[in-house]
């Protein structure tokens, strides 16, 4: 999960590497949180695949909002 979050950080700039690490740590111990993050990662990946930058940015911002260190 952390590597996918790092990809999102690199491509969008909406989250940073510290967000990726803190989200991954929390996801490791919280099943419901992990499920939400995974769903947003899939949304981001789908948007990237479709070339929909707006949807990709929206998904990245939603991931940022879940960051425990925001």
């Amino acid at each position: 999960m952390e590597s996918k979050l790092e990809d999102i950080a690199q491509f969008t700039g909406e989250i940073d590497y510290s967000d990726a690490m803190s989200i991954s740590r929390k996801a490791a111990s919280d099943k419901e949180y992990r499920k939400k993050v995974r769903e947003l990662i899939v949304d981001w990946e789908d948007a990237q695949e479709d070339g929909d930058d707006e949807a990709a940015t929206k998904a990245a911002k939603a991931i940022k909002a879940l960051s425990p260190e925001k």
Side-chain angles (χ1 to χ4, degrees):
M1 176 180 287
E2 188 172 334
S3 66
K4 290 184 181 193
L5 291 168
E6 288 174 354
D7 289 344
I8 294 169
Q10 181 179 0
F11 285 107
T12 68
E14 295 296 331
I15 66 171
D16 58 33
Y17 291 106
S18 65
D19 292 324
M21 289 187 300
S22 64
I23 291 168
S24 291
R25 279 193 302 267
K26 183 172 179 178
S29 63
D30 185 332
K31 185 177 181 179
E32 286 301 312
Y33 181 82
R34 181 171 55 247
K35 183 178 176 183
K36 290 177 190 176
V37 173
R38 282 185 177 155
E39 288 171 357
L40 290 169
I41 289 171
V42 169
D43 289 348
W44 181 82
E45 290 174 329
D46 288 347
Q48 285 292 105
E49 198 171 290
D50 294 340
D52 187 345
D53 292 337
E54 187 176 319
T57 299
K58 182 178 177 183
K61 286 181 179 182
I63 292 170
K64 174 71 173 184
L66 291 177
S67 178
E69 296 181 13
K70 62 179 174 155

